[in-house]
Amino acid sequence: MINHTKEEIISFSKTKIAEITNLKVEEIDENTEFFSLGLDSVKALFVLQELEDYLEIEINPLVFWNYPTLNSVSDFLTTGR
């Protein structure tokens, strides 16, 4: 069960994306697709692993392809849809 809000998941993810791209946290729009933010499959898996540790759950790697923005993936992770 996830005990984090959508906003917390987005904030955490923005920080992790900023760590591995040349973007600043405030430049990351939660409605921009991951690949447009500079995440390739390897970087996306890094963010996914960090999210798994943060949320203490396992996340299917296809989630980032099925929900290609921070907004959509955080919706899925908090509501399951």
Side-chain angles (χ1 to χ4, degrees):
M1 177 137 196
I2 296 174
N3 297 320
H4 298 283
T5 66
K6 177 180 175 174
E7 292 75 21
E8 290 170 332
I9 293 170
I10 288 173
S11 177
F12 177 85
S13 299
K14 282 183 175 185
T15 300
K16 294 303 170 184
I17 291 169
E19 287 177 7
I20 59 173
T21 65
N22 291 326
L23 300 172
K24 295 179 181 174
V25 171
E26 55 273 3
E27 295 174 324
I28 300 171
D29 184 328
E30 58 264 14
N31 293 308
T32 300
E33 291 192 4
F34 294 119
F35 293 108
S36 294
L37 293 172
L39 294 182
D40 57 21
S41 57
V42 173
K43 290 176 183 176
L45 285 175
F46 168 79
V47 174
L48 181 76
Q49 290 172 340
E50 293 291 316
L51 263 175
E52 286 182 329
D53 291 344
Y54 176 64
L55 300 173
E56 298 179 350
I57 62 169
E58 286 188 39
I59 304 170
N60 184 324
L62 293 178
V63 165
F64 273 25
W65 282 263
N66 294 330
Y67 304 93
T69 66
L70 286 174
N71 197 31
S72 63
V73 80
S74 62
D75 273 342
F76 172 77
L77 291 172
T78 56
T79 66
R81 26 183 177 106

